[in-house]
Amino acid sequence: RVISFPDGNAASNAKILPVASQRLLVVWQENGDAGAPVVHLGISDDGGDTWTSELSDHEVSVPVPWMTDFDAIFVGWYPQGGASVVFAASFDLASPLHYEIYETHTTNNGATWTGQTALTQVSFDEDHSRSARNPHTFYAGCSGQIIVWDEVEENSGTNEIHLSSFASGAWTGATADRIVSFPDGEDGSRPSITGLDEVSLPQMAGHEGDTPDTWIAWTEFVGGDVDNTEVHLSSRNVCFGSSVGDPLAGEERFRLVLFPNPARDHIH
């Protein structure tokens, strides 16, 4: 079954999001009427039986020459329900292409999007030579949206994991690099971020008194060998963003969690 308007413009990288009772959004990358990639949208208000995108295109971002590495999340803490789409894009017309991370979002269940007027840049373009790629995003109820990606670090010359969070109406990573991986000369790529926040923790049995956490995991090459990779982790044991400007420690570690606590007999 095809739910994107069949106009031959190559739709790809679809993400599906529930934003309200019976309302589903599907967002994807597709060439627009001008021939350049834009973010397209389909809305279903009957649980997926019919979609607005079956009848016509609905573009929710301005066109860019090049777009890739697409991700999206549901943002349920907006009063009317919302969603955010993040991606890597380049406005260069000729190679070598330089990518930065951009975002467009809705706060009214998909009716309007910020990117229909202009895209919001969330990564820092210092010298227009270091491409940002592979964004992944997470929404913490206590601190807002967080986006991570991989990018070459200026001093070490290796790919490190960068981060941008939304604070005081702006993205922290848009004005300065914020690196959350240890710059050990090894290339890191394709980060993934998730967490437990102050909203969801009380609803999880056995976790009512836990402190909110945020974790970022990524693949890192060892010794410059493309066939030798390990999984690295960076985390915080507090609600992310509770101290604006205090970055993740960048320490790559694992936490040992024991249950039950306290315990009289066996633990696991």
Side-chain angles (χ1 to χ4, degrees):
R1 179 183 175 185
V2 178
I3 67 166
S4 60
F5 187 60
D7 53 9
N9 280 340
S12 61
N13 299 325
K15 306 290 182 181
I16 188 165
L17 305 168
V19 296
S21 178
Q22 290 295 306
R23 171 161 283 199
L24 296 172
L25 304 183
V26 172
V27 290
W28 66 91
Q29 167 189 338
E30 182 177 338
N31 287 341
D33 294 335
V38 296
V39 179
H40 282 237
L41 170 71
I43 301 175
S44 174
D45 284 318
D46 52 18
D49 290 338
T50 60
W51 295 84
T52 59
S53 50
E54 294 177 300
L55 303 176
S56 63
D57 285 328
H58 187 183
E59 300 179 1
V60 295
S61 76
V62 296
V64 298
W66 308 94
M67 179 185 296
T68 187
D69 303 335
F70 205 80
D71 193 26
I73 56 167
F74 163 61
V75 185
W77 289 269
Y78 287 131
Q80 298 181 21
S84 174
V85 177
V86 299
F87 50 88
S90 173
F91 285 87
D92 293 341
L93 299 179
S95 182
L97 304 178
H98 170 79
Y99 287 88
E100 296 292 343
I101 307 302
Y102 295 89
E103 187 262 355
T104 176
H105 67 266
T106 176
T107 58
N108 51 19
N109 288 325
T112 59
W113 294 73
T114 58
Q116 291 173 303
T117 303
L119 298 178
T120 300
Q121 186 169 325
V122 300
S123 59
F124 181 46
D125 183 2
E126 184 174 5
D127 56 12
H128 206 67
S129 65
R130 295 174 288 135
S131 283
R133 297 292 299 269
N134 302 313
H136 192 237
T137 186
F138 166 70
Y139 190 93
C142 52
S143 59
Q145 189 176 353
I146 308 164
I147 301 173
V148 292
W149 65 91
D150 58 72
E151 181 179 342
V152 175
E153 201 276 315
E154 181 180 17
N155 295 320
S156 69
T158 55
N159 233 39
E160 300 295 345
I161 307 304
H162 290 236
L163 177 146
S164 190
S165 59
F166 197 73
S168 302
W171 288 95
T172 59
T175 54
D177 285 325
R178 192 177 185 190
I179 300 169
V180 296
S181 58
F182 183 59
D184 55 5
E186 308 289 357
D187 288 314
S189 66
R190 300 187 180 277
S192 176
I193 183 170
T194 191
L196 295 174
D197 56 64
E198 62 184 8
V199 174
S200 59
L201 271 174
Q203 304 173 17
M204 301 178 64
H207 292 268
E208 291 83 358
D210 286 5
T211 301
D213 284 292
T214 304
W215 298 277
I216 302 172
W218 66 91
T219 301
E220 189 156 315
F221 296 91
V222 179
D225 187 350
V226 296
D227 294 322
N228 187 5
T229 57
E230 301 289 350
V231 174
H232 288 238
L233 179 75
S234 187
S235 65
R236 271 187 69 143
N237 296 111
V238 297
C239 182
F240 186 88
S242 57
S243 298
V244 175
D246 180 18
L248 289 172
E251 53 194 19
E252 295 149 28
R253 60 185 174 84
F254 295 92
R255 293 191 307 132
L256 178 62
V257 182
L258 304 179
F259 295 99
N261 185 15
R264 292 182 178 179
D265 195 356
H266 297 290
I267 60 176
H268 62 277

